[in-house]
Amino acid sequence: MKAGFLKRPMKVNMNMYPQIDSMIDDFFRKQAGRWADLPKGVTGRREVFRAGNMKLFKFDSPAEVEGRTPMLFVPSLINRWYILDLTEETSLVKPVAEKFPTYMIDWGYPGCEASHLPFEHFYKRALNRIVKFICRESGHEKINMLGYCIGGTLSYLYSCIEPERVNKVILLASPINFEDGGISGLYAKNFPTEQFLESMESMPGGKIAEFFNNIQPFGVIKKMQMFQKKHQDEGFVKMFVAMERWIADDGVNFPAKAYYDFIGDFYGKNKLAKNELTLSDGTAIDAARRTAECLILNATADHIVPVPATALPAADAAPRETLTYNTGHIGITVGKYGAEVRKNVINFLNKGEEGVANV
Amino acid sequence: MFNFFNEELMKKMYDEWEKTMSTHLEKMVHDQGFVSEMAKAMASTMTGKAMASKAMDDSFSMMNLPSRTEMVKALQKLTDLEERLLDLTEKFDDFVAETKSARGAMQRSLDRIEEKLHTHQAGAEAPEQKSAKKGSKK
C-alpha cells in the first residue's frame, strides 16, 4: 500500500500558484496594516531626465533655493534609491531639498541589455551626462554630490575625473580603499570573476541580497524577534515595513562587466586607493587632481564597508572632514544617528553658501 | 516531576542554542578556507552553466533559430546605439549653448563698436557744426 502511495504521481494544479501568491501577498498586506501602501520615496519629485535605464528626479524645493548650488544624490548600484527618502522622519533628501535644488539618480533595473557596460560607464559617461544636464538647467558651473555606498565610490571617481564640475562631495558609507574591505572584501577577493563573466549576464540582485543575509547568520531571526517585541509600537512597525519593502525590492542586478571591473580592479587590485586606475582611453584617474572638499561619513558597526575602507587615497590632498557614528551601514541613514547625519550634511553644504542658515 | 516543557527552560535552551550556532556560523562564514571552497564550487557551477548555455546556443543555431546569446547581443547593440545617440544629443546641446554664448559675445562687441562709432561720429560732427555756425554769423 505504502509503495503504491509513493509511486502515485503527484498531481499539482498549476493554476493554484497565482492564488497562493495572492494569498501570501494579502497576508503580508494585512500584517503591514496601514503602512502597506507607503510610497517609494516620500518627498515630492518629478522626472527631469532619462537615459536608458537611468532616470533623474528633481525634488520639490521652495522657490528661494533656486540660485544655490545644486545637490545630486548618487545612490548605490545594488539597491533602490529611496532608502535615502524612506519615511518623512528619516528622509535625508527632504531637509536637503528644503535648502538646495536637489536631484537624485535612479539607476533603474538593468537587464541583459546593459550587461556589457563597464563600471566606467557609470562613473564617467552616465554621471557626466547628468552633471552636465544639471549645470545647464541650473546655470551653475559646479554641483555638490552625495554618494551612498557604491554611489559614493562613483561620486569620488567623478570628482577625480572632472574636478572643475564638483564643488563638494559627501561620501556616505562609501568604499574607497579596498585593502581592508571586511567580509565583503574576503568574498570579493575569492570570487571567480573570469568564470562569472563567461557565464552570467549580471550579478542577480537576489543573490546579492542573499549574500548580505548569509554573512550575518541569524540576522533575519533576530530581526523577527525584535518585531515580535516591538510590534505594538506604531512608529517601529512603519519603519519595519518600509525597510523590509526596500530590502525585498532586490531585483536590481549588477551588470556583469561592471561587476567584473568592480570586483577585479577595486576589491581585487585596490587600484583606486593606489592611484593606478585608468580610463578606457588610457587617461589616468589621479586623486591628486581632486579639489572638491570632502565629508566622509562612516559607521563603526558597518560590516559591509568598514571604517578603514572609507579612507581616501594618499595622493588626495583636497580638504576633508571625517565623522564616525556608532551604527551600521543602513543605520547611518535611517537609524537613531540619522538626525545627526542630516544635520551635519546640511551644515557642510551651507559652508560658503550665501544666505543659508545652519541647522 | 521535572517539567521538560517549562516555557522558561525551553526559552533558555533556545537562547543557548542560538548563541552557540550564531558564534559557530559567524566563524564559519568568515573563514578563508570556507570562502575559498565556496568560490571553487561557484566557479565549477558557473563553468557548467557556460557549457550548458553554449550547447543550447549550438543546438539553436543548428536549427537556424536565433539563440539567447544572439538576442542579448542585439539588445546590447541597441543599448550602444542609444548611448551614441545620447552622446550626440549632448554634443549638440553643448554646441547650441556654445553658439548661443558666442553669439551673445559677438553681439556685445558689435554693440560696443557701434557705440564707439556713434561717439566718434558725434565728436566729428560737433566741430563741423561749430564752424558752420561761425560762418553764418560772419
Side-chain angles (χ1 to χ4, degrees), chain B residues 26-43:
Chain B
E26 195 101 5
K27 224 183 242 175
M28 191 181 84
V29 297
H30 283 80
D31 182 59
Q32 172 64 50
F34 169 77
V35 176
S36 67
E37 283 309 311
M38 214 176 80
K40 273 182 205 161
M42 252 162 87

Side-chain angles (χ1 to χ4, degrees), chain B residues 59-72:
Chain B
S59 53
F60 269 82
S61 110
M62 276 192 280
M63 288 187 280
N64 263 341
L65 288 169
S67 68
R68 182 178 161 77
T69 314
E70 282 166 337
M71 282 195 264
V72 169

Side-chain angles (χ1 to χ4, degrees), chain A residues 90 92 172 297-300 324-328 330-344:
Chain A
T90 61
L92 180 56
L172 183 61
L297 299 164
N298 52 27
T300 49
T324 305
Y325 300 91
N326 187 20
T327 181
I330 311 288
I332 199 165
T333 55
V334 295
K336 61 179 176 181
Y337 291 100
E340 214 176 305
V341 169
R342 289 191 284 279
K343 193 183 95 182
N344 288 321

Side-chain angles (χ1 to χ4, degrees), chain A residues 51-52 113 115-116 121 125 129 132 136 183 186-187 190-192 195-196 199 201 217-218 221 225, chain B residues 14 18 21 26 29-30 32 38-39 42 46-47 49 68 72 76 79-80 82-83 86-87 90 94:
Chain A
E113 80 289 342
S115 58
H116 66 308
H121 167 83
R125 209 176 195 180
R129 199 174 276 160
K132 273 171 106 175
R136 243 197 317 269
I183 190 159
L186 175 69
Y187 278 78
N190 285 280
F191 188 75
Q195 289 91 339
F196 166 77
S199 61
E201 283 156 9
F218 285 87
I221 294 175
Q225 285 171 343
Chain B
Y14 172 77
E18 190 188 296
M21 284 301 284
E26 195 101 5
V29 297
H30 283 80
Q32 172 64 50
M38 214 176 80
M42 252 162 87
M46 283 172 182
T47 312
K49 186 186 178 293
R68 182 178 161 77
V72 169
Q76 289 175 347
T79 307
D80 289 342
E82 194 183 7
E83 288 297 321
L86 284 162
D87 285 346
E90 203 180 304
D94 285 347

